[in-house]
Amino acid sequence: MSTLSYLPAGALTFSLSENGILSLEYEGTRYEPVQITRLFPFQHPDGMLSVAVQGEDGPKELGILREISELPKDQQEHLRDYLRYKYFIPGIQKVGKMEEKLGYLYMDITTELGRKTICISDVTSNLRLVHGRTVSIIDVQGNRYCVEDIDALSRENRQKIELYL
């Protein structure tokens, strides 16, 4: 059984290359690329972050950063930029036609990126109410979408989604 290892924020120096690759200097060693994973992405997006590097046998966790806010301002921005890119999830603004075919749910949606038809398998696992009134949707290709606040949708749009929650 492994123990939880917290990284001291004062000993970490994160930087971004011109290509957006995140690196870390820690205890005299430079790690590149570094992977940051939110352990609680909805409940605590800026805290409890796993810091991992690529080892010979796959990713190896160096430890956990408790809070981004413990880092100097410039490094906070590097991590927030990295996380915005890694966790980009288009927000659904409108739900159009929804229909079930052969065990799949097809949804016509409008996001901030435009209109799209998505296909969802196993609706009970891939269309869920998470943290408060946020709806998380994962399509068959692994793309993620969300409705930040289901109550902010029109009554008609909300009712379409609520049928599957």
Side-chain angles (χ1 to χ4, degrees):
M1 186 162 131
S2 67
T3 60
L4 207 53
S5 175
Y6 292 103
L7 298 170
L12 307 173
T13 304
F14 290 96
S15 59
L16 277 177
S17 73
E18 290 177 10
N19 297 328
I21 296 171
L22 186 66
S23 65
L24 168 66
E25 186 137 343
Y26 175 58
E27 295 184 337
T29 304
R30 183 173 177 79
Y31 300 97
E32 187 178 293
V34 176
Q35 296 177 15
I36 307 294
T37 303
R38 289 176 168 149
L39 299 179
F40 302 100
F42 292 104
Q43 297 89 345
H44 197 42
D46 281 351
M48 300 304 287
L49 303 169
S50 170
V51 180
V53 295
Q54 190 61 39
E56 292 177 14
D57 301 328
K60 176 185 177 244
E61 185 177 76
L62 294 177
I64 297 170
L65 175 62
R66 288 181 196 261
E67 292 286 337
I68 288 178
S69 62
E70 294 175 354
L71 297 169
K73 293 281 186 211
D74 62 328
Q75 292 182 49
Q76 288 180 37
E77 285 308 308
H78 292 320
L79 258 56
R80 286 194 174 103
D81 287 346
Y82 173 88
L83 291 167
R84 260 191 298 278
Y85 175 76
K86 180 177 180 178
Y87 286 94
F88 176 69
I89 301 173
I92 295 175
Q93 299 165 335
K94 184 178 177 189
V95 179
K97 182 175 153 188
M98 291 176 65
E99 68 178 319
E100 293 182 58
K101 287 185 193 174
L102 302 170
Y104 293 95
L105 175 64
Y106 292 85
M107 292 177 69
D108 290 335
I109 60 171
T110 303
T111 72
E112 63 255 37
L113 300 176
R115 297 182 66 201
K116 183 174 187 177
T117 299
I118 61 174
C119 176
I120 304 165
S121 67
D122 188 14
V123 173
T124 55
S125 294
N126 293 314
L127 195 152
R128 299 183 296 143
L129 189 63
V130 295
H131 190 63
R133 300 295 292 159
T134 300
V135 177
S136 171
I137 300 172
I138 303 170
D139 71 12
V140 294
Q141 297 174 322
N143 299 313
R144 294 178 180 271
Y145 303 88
C146 78
V147 177
E148 286 292 329
D149 179 1
I150 192 167
D151 295 326
L153 291 176
S154 70
R155 182 173 166 233
E156 177 187 356
N157 282 252
R158 186 174 58 251
Q159 287 175 335
K160 289 176 186 178
I161 292 176
E162 286 176 337
L163 283 172
Y164 296 95
L165 294 177

